[in-house]
Each structure stands twice: as structure tokens, then as C-alpha cells.
Amino acid sequence: MFQVLKEVYQNFVPSLAKYERIEQDKLILQAINQTVIDSGRFQKLISDEFVYNINYNTDDYLMLLSTLSPYIALEPEARNALFAWLRAKIEQELGGALALEHLCTFEIIEKTVEDE
């Protein structure tokens, strides 16, 4: 799916033309969690994660994108053009549907007691 849409992103918003596998996302989250623990301000990290798959039709996928900060930050004309090209690609080359993996995580951490 990413390979089909990559060209559109490279033409309209190269900064969004990236793809991270779930494994990469997990490593990023682990590094963030370790940084928080290493700060000495937090302790007893509890976390969990799960991966789920969801199917989107074209309209639902574009609606999802329209809620994400990088897309909201685009100039309206650029966003509209990007979405028009994405719609065309999804309809023509992906049959009007996308199957995506999402990583869901949670972290609960206790703040350390500061010396008084």
C-alpha cells in the first residue's frame, strides 16, 4: 500500500513520504520510555501494546488523515490536492480500500517523590 501511495506523497509533501514498520515504532517508544526512566523523575513503568488491523474505504481513510496534525498543518490547497491524488490512487490501484496495521500502546509511570 505504501509503495502505491509513495509517489503521491513525494510529489506533494515529501516530508510525509515515510513509512515506519511496527517494529521501528516499538523501538522508538522503548527509547522514549528509557529516557523518561533515566531522568530520575519517574519510576515503576508499566506498559503494554497490541497491534490491530483495520480496513478503511477511501472516504474513511481520508477522514482519518484529516484528523492528524501533519495534515491539518498543510495549507488547505495543498491538503486538498494531496487528498484528491490519494483518492485517485486508492480508487484506481487499491480497489478503493486499504488494510492498515496500528500499534496501540499505553504507559503508566509513577512520579518519584522529590526530596523536601
Side-chain angles (χ1 to χ4, degrees):
M1 186 262 330
F2 176 74
Q3 292 304 321
V4 171
L5 301 180
K6 184 177 178 180
E7 178 185 352
V8 175
Y9 280 99
Q10 287 178 328
N11 288 334
F12 286 93
V13 280
S15 63
L16 297 179
K18 63 181 181 176
Y19 173 73
E20 292 177 352
R21 298 194 181 281
I22 294 289
E23 295 78 18
Q24 182 65 28
D25 288 340
K26 289 179 181 182
L27 291 174
I28 291 168
L29 289 170
Q30 288 172 359
I32 291 169
N33 290 341
Q34 192 60 53
T35 299
V36 170
I37 292 293
D38 291 347
S39 75
R41 295 181 176 182
F42 299 92
Q43 62 186 2
K44 299 180 185 173
L45 172 68
I46 300 169
S47 66
D48 203 358
E49 61 190 39
F50 67 95
V51 176
Y52 71 96
N53 297 306
I54 188 165
N55 295 316
Y56 293 98
N57 65 34
T58 305
D59 290 333
D60 289 342
Y61 180 67
L62 295 176
M63 181 61 71
L64 171 67
L65 295 184
S66 72
T67 68
L68 303 175
S69 296
Y71 297 89
I72 293 170
L74 294 173
E75 292 295 325
E77 299 83 22
R79 185 175 47 252
N80 292 339
L82 171 64
F83 283 13
W85 278 94
L86 286 173
R87 176 180 298 283
K89 279 283 196 182
I90 293 167
E91 293 294 323
Q92 294 169 4
E93 297 188 34
L94 298 174
L98 300 153
L100 299 179
E101 278 188 327
H102 293 279
L103 175 64
C104 292
T105 67
F106 75 87
E107 288 85 19
I108 300 171
I109 194 163
E110 182 179 304
K111 185 176 180 185
T112 57
V113 177
E114 296 181 19
D115 293 338
E116 302 199 24

